[in-house]
């Protein structure tokens, strides 16, 4: 099936995904800070983090379905889950697939958080950084709008926000979640 609608859905979900995944990472980083904001309680940040992460997963499913359903670019369903053998821009499609697979690990372990040791969850949840980075590179390499002013703005803004949040977290020192590692 090929239609302009699928192409627009794929492009739009890809661009919005970078924004929502960035917000998810930033909220996750900030919710683990040692000193919560006076006007912004940690439980609010964590709740937003979970909600935006859920929205990101729904958008990602839409992004993948629209990419596979649209036959303008030859992407088979298995190329969405196996990061090899892609025929269209193989490196960048494989990076997106790898990000999807790693995100699956993050989602499943988050759903099982109460049933697995905190240290296991914490270490696997760090894959979120790789998911975000792989997604950005995937978008830059395969996205048709990444060179547009909007695409460049979203990508640059995402880089600034995530590096800024990580900088704040590092400056704040070790958190309770960080101490799970030791």
């Amino acid at each position: 099936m090929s239609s302009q609608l699928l192409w627009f859905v794929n492009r739009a979900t890809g661009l919005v995904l970078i924004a929502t995944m960035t917000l998810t990472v930033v909220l996750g980083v900030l919710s683990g800070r040692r000193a919560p904001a006076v006007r912004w309680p940690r439980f609010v940040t964590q709740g937003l983090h979970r909600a935006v992460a859920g929205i990101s997963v729904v958008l990602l499913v839409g992004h993948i379905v629209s990419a596979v359903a649209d036959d303008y670019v030859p992407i088979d369903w298995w190329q969405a889950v196996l990061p090899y053998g892609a025929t269209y821009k193989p490196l960048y499609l494989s990076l997106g697939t790898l990000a999807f697979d790693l995100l699956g690990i993050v989602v499943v372990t988050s759903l099982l958080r109460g049933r697995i040791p905190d240290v296991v969850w914490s270490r696997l949840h760090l894959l979120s950084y790789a998911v975000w980075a792989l997604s950005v590179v995937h978008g830059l390499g395969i996205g048709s709008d990444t060179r547009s002013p909007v695409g460049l703005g979203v990508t640059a803004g995402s880089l600034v926000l995530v590096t800024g949040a990580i900088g704040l977290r590092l400056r704040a020192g070790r958190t309770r979640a960080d101490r799970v590692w030791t």
Side-chain angles (χ1 to χ4, degrees), residues 1 6 10 38 59 146 154 159 180:
M1 169 197 303
L6 286 173
N10 188 261
V38 175
L59 285 169
T146 55
V154 168
L159 291 168
V180 169

Side-chain angles (χ1 to χ4, degrees), residues 132 155-165:
W132 177 82
T155 303
S158 296
L159 291 168
V160 167
L161 288 171
V162 169
T163 55

